[in-house]
Amino acid sequence: METNVISLQETIKNLLKNKKYATLRDILTTMNPVDIAAIFEEIQNEKMPVLYRLLPKDTAADAFVEMDEETQEFLIHSLSDTELKEVLDDMFLDDVVDMIEEMPANVVKRILRQSTPEDRKQINMLLKFPEDSAGSIMTTELVILRPDMTAEEAIKRIRRTGVDKETIYTCYVADNLSKLRGIITIKDLLLAEDDTKVCDMMDTNVISVTTLTDQEEVAEIIKKYDFLALPVVDQENRLVGIVTIDDAVDVMQEEATEDIQKMAAITPNTDTPYLKIGIFDTWKSRIPWLLLLMISATFTGMIISSFESALASSVVLTAFIPMLMDTGGNTGSQSSVTIIRALSLNEIQFKDILKVIWKEIRVACLCGVALSAVAFLKIMLVDRLLLGNVAVTVPVAIIVCLTLAITVVVAKIIGCCLPMFANKLGFDPAVMASPFITTIVDAVSLAVYFMIATNILGL
Amino acid sequence: METNVISLQETIKNLLKNKKYATLRDILTTMNPVDIAAIFEEIQNEKMPVLYRLLPKDTAADAFVEMDEETQEFLIHSLSDTELKEVLDDMFLDDVVDMIEEMPANVVKRILRQSTPEDRKQINMLLKFPEDSAGSIMTTELVILRPDMTAEEAIKRIRRTGVDKETIYTCYVADNLSKLRGIITIKDLLLAEDDTKVCDMMDTNVISVTTLTDQEEVAEIIKKYDFLALPVVDQENRLVGIVTIDDAVDVMQEEATEDIQKMAAITPNTDTPYLKIGIFDTWKSRIPWLLLLMISATFTGMIISSFESALASSVVLTAFIPMLMDTGGNTGSQSSVTIIRALSLNEIQFKDILKVIWKEIRVACLCGVALSAVAFLKIMLVDRLLLGNVAVTVPVAIIVCLTLAITVVVAKIIGCCLPMFANKLGFDPAVMASPFITTIVDAVSLAVYFMIATNILGL
């Protein structure tokens, strides 16, 4: 699929260079707007307006919506006012708002000037909602029916007004005061008798959100109930818009990316694709966490320093530090990441914490026994026999394996508790992933290591 | 929302105990099937069939689909053959297939016995597709139109046959040989003149997948093009089914969970929620990676052992090992996780590898300089002055900071290259995340550390 688009790009570039406009038009007619947008993003030069004017009218706006902001901005500068107006008329308002948010002020002014007064009012209203709220991702173009309409009247209304609506598949029933009374699908309307009243068929148990509901919650509700769209009401329960599933899917993906970035100690940036982010922005999203984690490693260093004399008399102990630290970090991360994901999928809540800890302890014991047994064999067979390191004695192996088992249990408990407490306290649990868990577990495991060592070896 | 469901659960349990069936029926009528299913999962006992029989007919099947397998199995055992048949008749075939895949053989037999011969044939066909293929998640219940129908005829057909179809919003146009010719939405049909022919309105640039296409690719296409459904054809291009967006959303979420689990060195298990997985299964999904990573730490141990004499004469160097290892691991993870996510969102391809490396090197240099500078200050001010460790000299600080800077650059290069090569070689790049990167970077950073130390300190 990718390959097709790429080779097609070359063809289109060549045809454009050779001014084969009729052929280009034929090719563009067969293409999906998403793929057309990809080609515009690639060529992005003074030939772009020529190519854009070759697009069929109804495809032009669809392709425009799919382009990245850079390409959109470039294109807007070369469009006439009339052309811009045509594009804007064909776009859904939520897409116009998304675009405006990324554009420089002069372009925004031009866009608003070309919009109809009614659209301008709606755009300004939508722009006021906080980022990440239902209001900021909703569209105001929806089909509204009255409770006393018949199925036939409702279908007629949809046929008359539907062309400008983002979805006609779910219709919303509101009374004269715009209060949301029920929802009805076009499927219900089509399958009903002509004279059945809307209010007798509509579903009155409507699940809705307010304009200020967090977009993550909106996406979760849409996913949970398999909705195609979710109604949004204002503080007075008046219907003001809907969030459609395509926007919810984008939110879900953004949230997953955000979680993944946080888990790797990166300040989330989900708006811009990797290659388009400048290196200073990338640096800024990574360095604070690295610094914080580096400074926290001071404690681990202090633990080692305080056992320096013990280490000096038994340097062999140092060789096992990386293995103990890494295994502790890995076991802790496994638990924390599992718990973070389960929390974000609503599979567990804070009230399950005892069940979670009990489960992790049992898994940790199984892991601890297996790892210690293998480590003991490895130390005696590889380190002592194969590599011939005579300092690796049975007591040393016992110290390492005992530390390993304790570390695994502690790491799994910390790994499951921290995200749950973070969640309870209203922080994002995703921050409590590998890097933080590793730093804490390191300190614990080294302290345990040296305490056992000084006791067993009498250092 | 959660709280509501939970307190409602108590009410329903009490009403059930007191046999207030009329009240229960009233409550259930106002509820969404998804929430009803949650209540059944909670009560799961001999009272369940009683409650189930109180559900309105059309809600019963919808609620049944949403329950987990355990609850479904429990309920099937207590339903009569006629009741089971009613449920099955109301379910979509893809949901029946999903359910059958999780049920024991005797339940499967009972389900197949109660299905119509036509459904049984379809179910058996769907069961044969490989797991994770488009065929395994598609539904065969779709609206098929003929090219020469008029808009009026098409709408009539939809009204006649639509009730059993999973979606009526996108209709598929196929010829007599079942070859897929085009698609048309019900919006187009409703907004068209009555006598316009379907073939004159339909979109002939149909994007479709085959039954064997991977479900991840299916979900990506649906997301990319904002489809509500995607047609599935067999090897002869005959239309056999559609994948609807609700199933694609589930796939997307599963794939994100899988990636997250792999990044934390866990063998993915996305079918079962956290609390329902047995501890042995959890252990089995975690221990292989822990063992593998623990064994690989042997190399780090060997590096330390070979510099044992240097360490014995300058034990202070040991105190900085955890900080160097952790920072190396964290910087490497940041790059690898960013690249893994960008690969899975198709933001980058293998051909971008030079751009990626060049970007990561520049970011690494910025990070390396910042981290080294802060580390130098911290070592001199905290470790030497504040903690009064006289062994911490300027040369030691220089060794640590130089190693730190080199480690950061190496870690970022390894972190971005390994996932890209894994992807190129057809492996899942998600495995090349924190744990593996950390193990490799540990060895590199320790080797660099001791080499610089022996040279500068002349050990």
Side-chain angles (χ1 to χ4, degrees):
Chain A
M1 202 132 220
E2 286 303 331
T3 342
N4 275 340
V5 172
I6 288 159
S7 60
L8 194 55
Q9 256 166 33
E10 288 310 309
T11 316
I12 288 180
K13 276 188 196 169
N14 286 334
L15 289 169
L16 200 54
K17 207 158 59 188
N18 299 327
K19 305 193 171 159
K20 301 280 187 198
Y21 298 136
T23 320
L24 275 171
R25 194 191 306 263
D26 286 347
I27 294 178
L28 292 170
T29 316
T30 69
M31 284 176 66
N32 185 293
V34 177
D35 297 324
I36 295 176
I39 288 187
F40 273 84
E41 286 170 19
E42 195 66 23
I43 61 169
Q44 220 181 75
N45 61 23
E46 71 291 346
K47 293 243 172 69
M48 218 163 60
V50 181
L51 191 62
Y52 189 76
R53 287 178 186 118
L54 290 174
L55 289 176
K57 271 269 155 15
D58 51 337
T59 315
D62 289 348
F64 184 82
V65 173
E66 300 289 341
M67 296 174 197
D68 59 21
E69 298 91 39
E70 218 179 320
T71 316
Q72 283 176 337
E73 199 186 327
F74 191 103
L75 203 50
I76 289 178
H77 285 302
S78 44
L79 291 182
S80 74
D81 280 352
T82 328
E83 284 170 326
L84 179 59
K85 196 173 162 40
E86 274 171 11
V87 174
L88 291 172
D89 283 350
D90 269 4
M91 278 172 78
F92 291 118
L93 281 181
D94 58 338
D95 293 327
V96 176
V97 171
D98 282 351
M99 181 177 75
I100 283 181
E101 279 168 345
E102 306 293 331
M103 293 288 151
N106 60 332
V107 179
V108 174
K109 268 190 209 151
R110 226 188 119 201
I111 291 173
L112 287 177
R113 217 167 34 231
Q114 297 309 322
S115 305
T116 64
E118 173 57 23
D119 281 358
R120 197 154 47 225
K121 215 179 97 193
Q122 300 269 9
I123 290 170
N124 281 321
M125 192 262 289
L126 290 173
L127 280 173
K128 281 196 198 94
F129 290 110
E131 209 189 345
D132 297 345
S133 69
S136 76
I137 55 167
M138 73 181 183
T139 177
T140 52
E141 290 151 310
L142 62 160
V143 178
I144 297 181
L145 303 175
R146 298 275 167 237
D148 52 358
M149 282 178 171
T150 63
E152 197 183 1
E153 286 167 347
I155 291 174
K156 264 199 197 128
R157 188 191 167 90
I158 294 168
R159 294 179 81 154
R160 207 172 57 237
T161 64
V163 69
D164 284 334
K165 307 304 179 188
E166 181 144 354
T167 180
I168 63 163
Y169 302 143
T170 314
C171 304
Y172 300 86
V173 187
D175 60 20
N176 295 331
L177 298 166
S178 284
K179 304 260 177 187
L180 179 60
R181 291 295 176 217
I183 60 171
I184 187 163
T185 64
I186 198 160
K187 188 170 171 178
D188 296 328
L189 288 171
L190 280 175
L191 301 179
E193 299 293 324
D194 279 347
D195 55 356
T196 319
K197 290 247 182 205
V198 165
C199 56
D200 294 332
M201 289 184 290
M202 70 186 187
D203 186 353
T204 52
N205 305 313
V206 186
I207 294 171
S208 64
V209 292
T210 75
T211 48
L212 299 177
T213 306
D214 188 87
Q215 60 173 4
E216 193 171 355
E217 199 184 322
V218 173
E220 266 166 32
I221 294 175
I222 290 181
K223 181 184 159 9
K224 182 176 171 189
Y225 296 103
D226 283 348
F227 288 152
L228 293 180
L230 180 66
V232 183
V233 297
D234 66 11
Q235 307 298 324
E236 279 84 44
N237 199 30
R238 281 184 306 237
L239 179 64
V240 287
I242 53 170
V243 176
T244 47
I245 188 166
D246 53 319
D247 296 316
V249 167
D250 291 342
V251 170
M252 281 179 232
Q253 194 154 70
E254 260 175 44
E255 298 291 341
T257 305
E258 248 184 68
D259 274 4
I260 289 174
Q261 290 177 339
K262 280 185 199 153
M263 284 186 205
I266 302 172
T267 308
N269 177 343
T270 53
D271 286 347
T272 325
Y274 173 74
L275 286 175
K276 302 238 164 164
I277 308 178
I279 59 161
F280 278 99
D281 286 331
T282 306
W283 176 75
K284 267 192 285 179
S285 66
R286 294 183 186 179
I287 193 73
W289 301 100
L290 291 178
L291 282 173
L292 180 65
L293 292 165
M294 185 181 79
I295 300 292
S296 354
T298 308
F299 297 103
T300 345
M302 281 164 65
I303 292 171
I304 293 186
S305 297
S306 63
F307 285 95
E308 219 161 63
S309 57
L311 266 181
S313 62
S314 184
V315 183
V316 66
L317 292 177
T318 315
F320 298 103
I321 288 180
M323 188 269 275
L324 289 172
M325 282 175 52
D326 282 349
T327 308
N330 291 335
T331 41
S333 304
Q334 285 183 334
S335 303
S336 68
V337 164
T338 306
I339 296 304
I340 292 166
R341 187 66 184 162
L343 281 169
S344 99
L345 297 181
N346 285 323
E347 287 177 5
I348 52 174
Q349 277 106 42
F350 187 74
K351 67 176 172 67
D352 301 315
I353 189 162
L354 290 180
K355 273 190 244 174
V356 170
I357 295 178
W358 174 228
K359 177 171 174 168
E360 289 296 326
I361 288 179
R362 286 177 297 162
V363 174
C365 291
L366 287 175
C367 288
V369 169
L371 289 169
S372 299
V374 174
F376 190 85
L377 286 174
K378 192 226 97 175
I379 292 171
M380 296 313 289
L381 294 177
V382 179
D383 298 338
R384 188 176 168 88
L385 282 180
L386 197 66
L387 303 174
N389 190 338
V390 286
V392 179
T393 56
V394 173
V396 168
I398 291 176
I399 294 167
V400 172
C401 295
L402 208 54
T403 308
L404 190 63
I406 296 173
T407 302
V408 168
V409 176
V410 173
K412 290 236 177 266
I413 295 176
I414 295 176
C416 71
C417 288
L418 283 191
M420 297 203 79
F421 283 112
N423 190 47
K424 178 72 183 170
L425 297 173
F427 298 111
D428 189 330
V431 176
M432 291 299 158
S434 318
F436 272 91
I437 303 285
T438 303
T439 305
I440 297 168
V441 170
D442 281 356
V444 174
S445 85
L446 285 175
V448 171
Y449 189 41
F450 290 123
M451 277 193 294
I452 295 180
T454 43
N455 279 312
I456 291 190
L457 298 179
L459 297 171
Chain B
M1 202 131 220
E2 287 302 332
T3 343
N4 276 340
V5 172
I6 288 160
S7 60
L8 194 56
Q9 256 165 35
E10 289 309 310
T11 317
I12 288 179
K13 275 187 198 169
N14 286 333
L15 289 169
L16 201 53
K17 207 157 62 188
N18 300 327
K19 303 192 174 159
K20 301 277 188 202
Y21 298 137
T23 321
L24 274 170
R25 196 193 306 263
D26 286 348
I27 295 178
L28 290 170
T29 315
T30 70
M31 286 177 66
N32 185 293
V34 177
D35 298 323
I36 296 177
I39 288 187
F40 274 85
E41 286 171 17
E42 196 65 23
I43 59 167
Q44 222 182 77
N45 61 22
E46 71 291 346
K47 294 242 173 68
M48 219 162 63
V50 181
L51 191 64
Y52 189 76
R53 287 181 186 115
L54 290 173
L55 291 175
K57 271 268 155 15
D58 51 337
T59 315
D62 289 349
F64 184 83
V65 173
E66 300 291 340
M67 296 173 198
D68 60 20
E69 297 92 38
E70 219 180 319
T71 316
Q72 284 177 334
E73 200 187 325
F74 191 102
L75 204 50
I76 289 178
H77 285 303
S78 45
L79 291 182
S80 73
D81 280 352
T82 327
E83 285 170 328
L84 180 59
K85 194 173 164 42
E86 274 171 12
V87 173
L88 292 171
D89 283 351
D90 268 5
M91 279 172 77
F92 291 119
L93 281 181
D94 56 339
D95 294 326
V96 176
V97 171
D98 282 352
M99 183 177 74
I100 283 183
E101 279 168 342
E102 306 295 329
M103 292 287 152
N106 60 331
V107 179
V108 174
K109 269 191 208 150
R110 225 187 119 202
I111 292 173
L112 287 177
R113 217 165 37 226
Q114 297 310 323
S115 305
T116 64
E118 175 55 24
D119 282 359
R120 199 154 45 225
K121 213 179 102 194
Q122 300 268 9
I123 291 171
N124 280 321
M125 192 260 290
L126 290 172
L127 280 172
K128 282 198 196 92
F129 289 112
E131 210 190 344
D132 298 345
S133 69
S136 75
I137 54 168
M138 73 181 183
T139 176
T140 52
E141 290 151 310
L142 63 161
V143 178
I144 297 182
L145 303 174
R146 299 275 166 235
D148 52 357
M149 282 179 172
T150 62
E152 196 185 1
E153 287 167 343
I155 291 173
K156 264 200 198 134
R157 186 191 169 88
I158 293 167
R159 295 178 82 154
R160 207 172 57 237
T161 64
V163 68
D164 285 335
K165 309 304 182 190
E166 182 143 353
T167 181
I168 62 162
Y169 302 143
T170 315
C171 304
Y172 300 86
V173 187
D175 61 19
N176 295 332
L177 299 166
S178 286
K179 303 260 177 188
L180 180 60
R181 291 296 175 217
I183 60 171
I184 187 161
T185 64
I186 200 160
K187 188 169 173 178
D188 295 329
L189 288 171
L190 281 174
L191 302 178
E193 299 293 323
D194 280 346
D195 56 355
T196 320
K197 289 248 182 199
V198 165
C199 57
D200 294 331
M201 291 183 288
M202 68 185 187
D203 186 353
T204 52
N205 306 313
V206 185
I207 294 171
S208 63
V209 292
T210 75
T211 48
L212 299 177
T213 307
D214 189 87
Q215 61 173 5
E216 193 170 356
E217 199 184 321
V218 173
E220 267 166 29
I221 294 174
I222 288 180
K223 181 182 158 16
K224 181 175 174 189
Y225 296 103
D226 283 346
F227 288 152
L228 294 180
L230 180 66
V232 183
V233 296
D234 65 11
Q235 305 300 324
E236 278 83 45
N237 199 32
R238 281 184 306 234
L239 179 63
V240 286
I242 52 170
V243 176
T244 47
I245 187 166
D246 54 318
D247 296 317
V249 166
D250 291 341
V251 170
M252 280 177 230
Q253 194 154 68
E254 260 175 45
E255 299 289 342
T257 305
E258 247 185 68
D259 274 5
I260 290 174
Q261 290 178 339
K262 280 186 199 151
M263 285 184 202
I266 302 171
T267 308
N269 178 344
T270 53
D271 287 345
T272 324
Y274 173 74
L275 285 175
K276 302 236 166 171
I277 309 181
I279 58 162
F280 277 99
D281 286 330
T282 306
W283 175 74
K284 266 192 286 178
S285 66
R286 294 182 185 180
I287 193 73
W289 301 101
L290 291 178
L291 281 173
L292 180 65
L293 292 164
M294 185 181 78
I295 300 291
S296 353
T298 306
F299 296 103
T300 345
M302 281 165 65
I303 293 171
I304 294 188
S305 295
S306 65
F307 287 95
E308 219 160 64
S309 55
L311 268 181
S313 61
S314 183
V315 183
V316 67
L317 292 177
T318 316
F320 298 103
I321 289 180
M323 188 270 274
L324 289 172
M325 280 176 52
D326 281 349
T327 309
N330 290 336
T331 40
S333 303
Q334 285 182 334
S335 305
S336 69
V337 164
T338 306
I339 296 304
I340 292 167
R341 189 65 184 163
L343 282 169
S344 98
L345 297 180
N346 284 324
E347 288 177 6
I348 52 173
Q349 276 106 40
F350 187 75
K351 67 178 173 61
D352 300 315
I353 190 159
L354 290 179
K355 273 190 243 173
V356 170
I357 294 179
W358 176 226
K359 176 168 176 173
E360 288 296 327
I361 287 180
R362 284 176 298 161
V363 175
C365 291
L366 288 174
C367 287
V369 169
L371 289 170
S372 300
V374 174
F376 190 85
L377 286 174
K378 191 227 99 175
I379 291 172
M380 296 314 290
L381 295 177
V382 179
D383 298 338
R384 188 178 168 86
L385 282 180
L386 195 69
L387 302 175
N389 190 339
V390 287
V392 179
T393 57
V394 173
V396 168
I398 292 177
I399 294 168
V400 172
C401 295
L402 209 55
T403 309
L404 190 62
I406 295 174
T407 302
V408 168
V409 176
V410 173
K412 289 237 179 267
I413 295 177
I414 295 178
C416 71
C417 288
L418 283 191
M420 298 205 75
F421 282 113
N423 190 46
K424 178 73 183 169
L425 297 174
F427 297 109
D428 189 330
V431 176
M432 290 299 158
S434 319
F436 272 91
I437 304 286
T438 304
T439 304
I440 297 169
V441 170
D442 280 355
V444 174
S445 85
L446 286 176
V448 172
Y449 188 43
F450 291 123
M451 277 192 293
I452 296 179
T454 42
N455 279 312
I456 292 190
L457 298 179
L459 297 171

